[in-house]
Each structure stands twice: as structure tokens, then as C-alpha cells.
Amino acid sequence: MACSALICDSEPWKDLKGHVEDIKKTHLRDLMRDSERCKSMMVEFDGLLLDYSRQCARQDTIQKLFGLAEAAHLKEKIKKMYDGEHINSTEDRSVLHVALRASRDTVICNDGKNIVSDVWKVLDKISEFSERVRSGSWVGVTGKALKDVIAVGIGGSFLGPLFVHTALQTDPEAIACAEGRQLRFLANVDPIDVARSITGLNPETTLVVVVSKTFTTAETMLNARTLREWISAALGSEAVAKHMVAVSTNLTLVEKFGIDPNNAFAFWDWVGGRYSVCSAVGMLPLSLQYGFSVVEKFLKGASSIDQHFYSAPFDKNIPVLLGLLSVWNVSFLGYPARAILPYSQALEKFAPHIQQACMLTTTLSFNMESNGKGVSIDGVPLPFEAGEIDFGEPGTNGQHSFYQLIHQGRVIPCDFIGVVKSQQSALFMFLLDCFTGEVVSNHDELMSNFFAQPDALAYGKSPEQLLTEKVPQHLISHKTFSGNRPSLNLLLPCLNAYNIGQLLAIYEHRIAVEGFIWGINSFDQWGVELGKSLASQVRKQLNKSRTKGEPVEGFNYSTTTMLKKYLEAKSSIPCDPTTLLPKA
């Protein structure tokens, strides 16, 4: 197959490279004086406000980035994705997570077949099943209602649903719908995670959702077998059919495991694992916890952004603008990291999910998994940096953790995510009324920092200002802030299920834009597969050494030494490992 040209060979890329030195001569404190420039760098859509005026960019920079998007055929690539073309070329698959939240009457085709009807068959099945469990018409083997759910999965089958669950936990509507219920997630194969997931739960009232497309994922299936033994030991093996369901496409292995295939919920090859939260992977456990009506609002929020991403002109298109600015910061200004800073504790699991969904090309690990590539989609080594190292922490916690680094250390572009109305506004306004000595509510205090930090990063503080403030000479260098550190603000009207869906879709599409511009495949993950392959070799060795006493062979000196040290510690685990699990 003939290789297409790399984007770095295009004239717009070369133009932007030459433009960098021009931009380096500017400072954000000067750029921010231009009110027309700032106005042009604000976009509103469906209650959201994006302000990217604190990026190290002028209006002509943005126009040059639009030229780069044209050279990369961005519009055509977006259309190909929505049209169901096999843009995941290395796995010969479509990329159609947008179909997971499309309305019933939408037509989205995969290999000539409208798949939206298939999606809604599964969603309707989820709605019906979750209502049966929540209403008590589906009960456990002893007749007790199943009010506790453990979702077993890993990677995208865990981080995405966990993010949404954490965000909904403090939403008033979701709280009311989840009354008396618990949802927990088990991902890590570490027995500590297993123990934590079942501590305080009663097998009689617990439903386990096993999430594995192939039903062969090593960590997930080991955890699933452990929970199966936990249930069987307490209730008998016949209880599995009433206390365990599956999200999988491999009905043969589902049935062999002991789960009724009728209680398996499908998803498809055109859904990437880290883009699967809107499939049964996330919708089943979340519907069991909050009811289908709540998660349907989440799907509608994501769909709103899907339509915006497909149809809005690039100068008003939030995911496109975010993606282009990431390319500018990474590949041209040379900033490899990005901080995701939500000023809402409800979004504490957002950065970990985006970190997984997005990886710095050729160096590190959503963005870090999707765009962590060293070659183009045609297999050509990239002569430029792509991808980002994503990290983050909710404000104001992060301010007392790593903000020192972003203010006076490395330059790290920041995404500040704020919410106009707190999920708990009523509570804190009540408290403010009661305690009249307080100047502002908790949420006002939080948002004061949301508005202040981007300006602090942009403007900094000069030695001249410090001298004017009569700061002692020996402290001038310590208290100087260079400023000119890029950031952007994304302001949400509130944080309900709909807005959470919007936020997820914005970042999913942002990742796609970056990959489309860089010319890489954001939808495969071969680096992950290599690690799994090597782990399989170690697993076989451990089994042979423990059961047959065979020596460690076939590894390098370092790994051999560590394996021998590990095996020297004689296991004291009893034959029935369930005796070690926490009691209900």
C-alpha cells in the first residue's frame, strides 16, 4: 500500500513552524489587552462556554491551524468516521461510538447496515432488565432484592463508567434515583481490590456485571471467577445464574462460565474499549444504580456534542478548536503535557479517564492510549511529537499539590473546567444564609479560584511589580512568575447527567481531531497488547514453577532473578481462597 504524505511535509505545517518564533515574541499579558481578540476566542454552544483567549496564539495563529486542518482533510475524516468507513485500518474496523447515543430515528451504517436499531435493542433490554432489578421483580436466589452491584471490567470497561458514576453520585436527581442502592467497580486483579469491592456486601443482595467483549480478558475473568466463588460458597453454584450477568459478544464462553446467555448484553467491534462507556459497558451498571431515565439524559448530552462536532463550522466547533490547540501546543510550542483541572469534586475521575482514553508518542501512556503512537496510520515513523501526557486533580486540591510546577516550573497547558451551578448549590446557599459572617458560599470560593488561576498563569508577576510592592530584594527571584503560560476555560451551566454526557463527548472528539491532524490511528492499542503477551509468558512460568517445581527459564538475568526471589516466598494461601475474603 502506498503511503500518504506526512502532515509535517505540508505547507501549512511549515508555515506554523515558522510562526512559532513570531508567537514567542509575544506575551499573554499583552495579548489579553486586545478585547477583540479575546471576543473572537470565545465559543458558546448548548449552554457551554469555551474561552481559549489565554492560549499562546493570535487570531492569525488560529487561521493557520484551520489551514492545517484543511491540509489534513479533517472535515473529510470526520465524515468518514460518521459514515462508518473502516478508519481503524490496522484492525479493519469502523469507529462508531457516536451510534451508541444516536436517537432512534438516526441512520448510521456499518458495512451497509443501519446499526442504530441494534443499539436501541440493547438499550431497551438494559432499560427493561434494570427496571426489573430495581423494582424487585428480579430477585436473588434466596428471594431478596438485588440492591448492590459490582461491575467487573478493566481499562475502558472501568474508568469511563467510574467517571460517570462518580459525577452522578452528588447530583440531586441521581441521588434520589439511587436511594438504597450501591454500585462498586472491580478492575485491578490485586486481591486488595477484590476485598475492597465486596467488603460489607451480602452475596444474597449482590448482582455482578462481568464486562469483557471476548470473555477472555485475563484480569477481568480471574476477578469474575473469584466473585463467582464468593457467591457460590455462600449460596450454592445454582445462584450464579441469578446473581451474575455479562456484557460480552462471546455467548459460548458466557454460558460456559455459568451465566445465562439471555442475560448477556451485546456490544460491537466498532466500539473501542475506551470509547465504550455509552454502550452496555457503562449503561448497564449505571442504569441499575440510577435508572434508565437518568442515563438516557447522559446519552442525549453526548449526542448533542456529536451533532455539533459533525456540523458546526470549525471556528465555532468546540472539539475541533480544542484538538487544534492541542496540536499547536504539543507539536509546535513543544509542551508535551496537559493538566485537566475540573473545579468540581464530582469530576475527580474525569482526568484518569481522559488519561486512559488519550500517550506521548514514542515515550509514554482516552488520549495517552489513543494517541500514544510513534508511527502514522500508514506505518511511517513520525518525525515530530504527537500525543499528550494528561494528568489532573480537582481544584482547589490541585493548587496545594502540583500548581507550583505549572506556575514557576515547566510550562504545562491547562484545561480549567468550571460549573456555574453546583450540584449542591441549595445546601450551601442555605448554610450561607445561616452563617452570615461568611463572605461567599463554598461554591463561590471554589469558582473564585477557577477564574483567578488562569489569569495568574497568563499574566504572572514581574520583578518590577514586586519592587513596587516593596518585596525584599533577596526574595524577588523567588516570587517572580514569568506568566505566558497557556490555559483555557470550559464553563458548564451545571453538572447533571446531560452535561456529563456533553463533557465526555467533547474530549472523545478532541482526541479524534488530534489523531486526524497528526495522521495516526487513535483507535487501536498495540502497545497494550504487547504487555499482555509478555505477561502471559510470566503467568505460564509461575504456574509451572508452583505446580511442577520447574526452574525459571527463558527470561533475561534481571527478570529471572526477580522471579526466583518472588517464588522463594512459599505460599501460605489455603486451598479455599474464599476463606480469606471479607465476610458480609
Side-chain angles (χ1 to χ4, degrees):
M1 180 178 69
C3 293
S4 59
L6 295 173
I7 188 63
C8 60
D9 294 328
S10 69
E11 288 305 315
W13 183 284
K14 295 174 183 176
D15 185 26
L16 280 162
K17 275 293 186 184
H19 183 62
V20 169
E21 288 305 314
D22 198 18
I23 287 297
K24 286 183 177 178
K25 296 173 185 176
T26 66
H27 196 288
L28 277 170
R29 69 172 68 101
D30 299 318
L31 293 175
M32 293 298 291
R33 293 194 187 104
D34 186 345
S35 58
E36 285 302 312
R37 170 190 169 275
C38 293
K39 183 179 179 181
S40 73
M41 294 183 174
M42 292 185 179
V43 176
E44 292 189 67
F45 172 73
D46 197 12
L48 306 170
L49 172 63
L50 169 66
D51 176 1
Y52 62 95
S53 60
R54 291 175 190 79
Q55 291 288 305
C56 295
R58 301 189 307 235
Q59 287 139 310
D60 59 332
T61 313
I62 304 303
Q63 292 304 314
K64 291 175 187 294
L65 287 170
F66 291 152
L68 183 67
E70 185 175 353
H73 306 291
L74 178 59
K75 187 176 289 292
E76 293 93 325
K77 289 177 180 177
I78 294 171
K79 186 175 186 302
K80 285 180 179 180
M81 183 173 81
Y82 279 68
D83 286 348
E85 294 194 26
H86 288 210
I87 63 171
N88 180 356
S89 56
T90 60
E91 295 178 312
D92 193 25
R93 292 175 182 170
S94 302
V95 178
L96 285 171
H97 44 279
V98 294
L100 298 171
R101 51 260 188 152
S103 59
R104 287 182 189 270
D105 57 353
T106 306
V107 176
I108 299 176
C109 292
N110 178 55
D111 296 333
K113 179 189 177 185
N114 181 17
I115 56 175
V116 176
S117 58
D118 292 338
V119 169
W120 274 97
K121 283 179 185 176
V122 175
L123 289 175
D124 287 339
K125 183 178 179 180
I126 290 171
S127 176
E128 185 270 339
F129 178 74
S130 61
E131 181 54 34
R132 289 176 66 194
V133 172
R134 289 169 56 82
S135 68
S137 64
W138 175 294
V139 293
V141 72
T142 63
K144 292 186 177 181
L146 300 175
K147 61 184 181 63
D148 305 312
V149 173
I150 304 174
V152 184
I154 199 166
S157 299
F158 156 64
L159 285 166
L162 177 63
F163 145 61
V164 179
H165 171 53
T166 306
L168 285 173
Q169 276 183 308
T170 41
D171 171 64
E173 180 187 11
I175 290 172
C177 293
E179 186 176 1
R181 307 195 62 81
Q182 288 190 77
L183 172 59
R184 299 184 183 182
F185 292 88
L186 172 57
N188 199 334
V189 76
D190 188 332
I192 293 171
D193 203 20
V194 178
R196 285 177 175 175
S197 73
I198 63 176
T199 295
L201 297 188
N202 183 348
E204 290 183 278
T205 60
T206 301
L207 178 69
V208 176
V209 180
V210 183
V211 182
S212 175
K213 183 182 290 187
T214 62
F215 235 60
T216 59
T217 307
E219 303 96 327
T220 297
M221 297 317 301
L222 179 53
N223 280 337
R225 290 191 294 272
T226 303
L227 293 191
R228 182 179 62 186
E229 291 307 309
W230 176 66
I231 291 169
S232 298
L235 306 174
S237 59
E238 69 278 4
V240 172
K242 295 293 285 184
H243 289 261
M244 299 188 81
V245 297
V247 177
S248 180
T249 57
N250 194 334
L251 297 184
T252 301
L253 289 185
V254 166
E255 185 171 22
K256 185 176 180 181
F257 184 89
I259 295 174
D260 185 343
N262 292 320
N263 299 329
F265 297 79
F267 65 119
W268 306 270
D269 281 345
W270 43 262
V271 182
R274 53 203 179 274
Y275 299 91
S276 64
V277 64
C278 294
S279 72
V281 167
M283 295 304 95
L284 178 57
L286 292 167
S287 293
L288 288 164
Q289 177 71 3
Y290 299 107
F292 188 75
S293 62
V294 171
V295 300
E296 189 172 15
K297 292 174 183 176
F298 166 78
L299 293 174
K300 287 180 177 178
S303 180
S304 164
I305 296 299
D306 293 341
Q307 295 169 55
H308 167 72
F309 178 51
Y310 184 77
S311 61
F314 285 175
D315 63 334
K316 300 295 181 185
N317 193 310
I318 292 174
V320 168
L321 288 166
L322 292 179
L324 289 173
L325 289 168
S326 287
V327 171
W328 169 242
N329 284 324
V330 172
S331 298
F332 296 94
L333 296 183
Y335 304 142
R338 175 179 65 191
I340 299 173
L341 309 171
Y343 276 66
S344 171
Q345 191 65 31
L347 296 175
E348 64 178 304
K349 296 299 181 182
F350 183 59
H353 173 52
I354 298 305
Q355 180 184 64
Q356 176 258 343
C358 292
M359 188 143 186
L360 179 64
T361 300
T362 72
T363 340
L364 301 168
S365 161
F366 287 6
N367 194 11
M368 294 169 73
E369 189 163 299
S370 293
N371 289 338
K373 309 293 167 60
V375 298
S376 74
I377 199 166
D378 296 315
V380 179
L382 298 180
F384 56 85
E385 294 293 346
E388 291 161 309
I389 307 167
D390 287 310
F391 69 97
E393 178 75 14
T396 59
N397 289 356
Q399 293 174 195
H400 298 273
S401 176
F402 54 80
Y403 275 38
Q404 175 63 49
L405 173 69
I406 63 177
H407 277 292
Q408 289 184 303
R410 295 178 180 272
V411 177
I412 299 172
C414 298
D415 292 3
F416 289 92
I417 303 170
V419 182
V420 173
K421 182 180 179 181
S422 169
Q423 291 177 325
Q424 301 297 312
S425 284
L427 169 64
F428 289 120
M429 289 310 296
F430 170 76
L431 292 174
L432 183 60
D433 289 341
C434 293
F435 302 105
T436 54
E438 297 295 339
V439 178
V440 294
S441 69
N442 294 61
H443 189 63
D444 283 344
E445 178 65 27
L446 177 73
M447 292 302 289
S448 295
N449 285 273
F450 167 81
F451 292 116
Q453 289 291 338
D455 277 343
L457 289 167
Y459 288 88
K461 202 158 195 178
S462 68
E464 292 74 22
Q465 289 174 291
L466 294 168
L467 285 170
T468 302
E469 294 173 5
K470 302 189 184 313
V471 172
Q473 186 66 46
H474 71 280
L475 291 178
I476 294 291
S477 61
H478 296 282
K479 292 193 172 186
T480 296
F481 295 82
S482 64
N484 205 37
R485 292 163 184 260
S487 67
L488 58 85
N489 290 69
L490 184 62
L491 190 61
L492 284 63
C494 56
L495 199 60
N496 55 28
Y498 185 87
N499 304 131
I500 295 165
Q502 288 180 307
L503 185 61
L504 175 79
I506 285 170
Y507 275 77
E508 285 182 342
H509 294 319
R510 175 188 195 164
I511 293 162
V513 169
E514 294 172 45
F516 288 154
I517 297 295
W518 282 319
I520 61 180
N521 186 354
S522 301
F523 308 106
D524 62 9
Q525 51 180 42
W526 297 110
V528 177
E529 299 305 320
L530 173 60
K532 289 180 180 179
S533 174
L534 295 176
S536 177
Q537 296 175 33
V538 176
R539 188 184 307 117
K540 290 175 182 176
Q541 179 65 63
L542 289 174
N543 177 263
K544 289 190 295 184
S545 296
R546 289 199 186 279
T547 60
K548 301 177 183 178
E550 294 189 14
V552 176
E553 295 178 334
F555 299 92
N556 60 50
Y557 178 83
S558 173
T559 304
T560 300
T561 302
M562 289 190 291
L563 279 172
K564 287 179 177 178
K565 185 72 174 176
Y566 179 69
L567 288 162
E568 281 173 7
K570 299 298 182 182
S571 174
S572 59
I573 298 176
C575 294
D576 181 6
T578 60
T579 60
L580 295 178
L581 296 175
K583 297 298 184 286

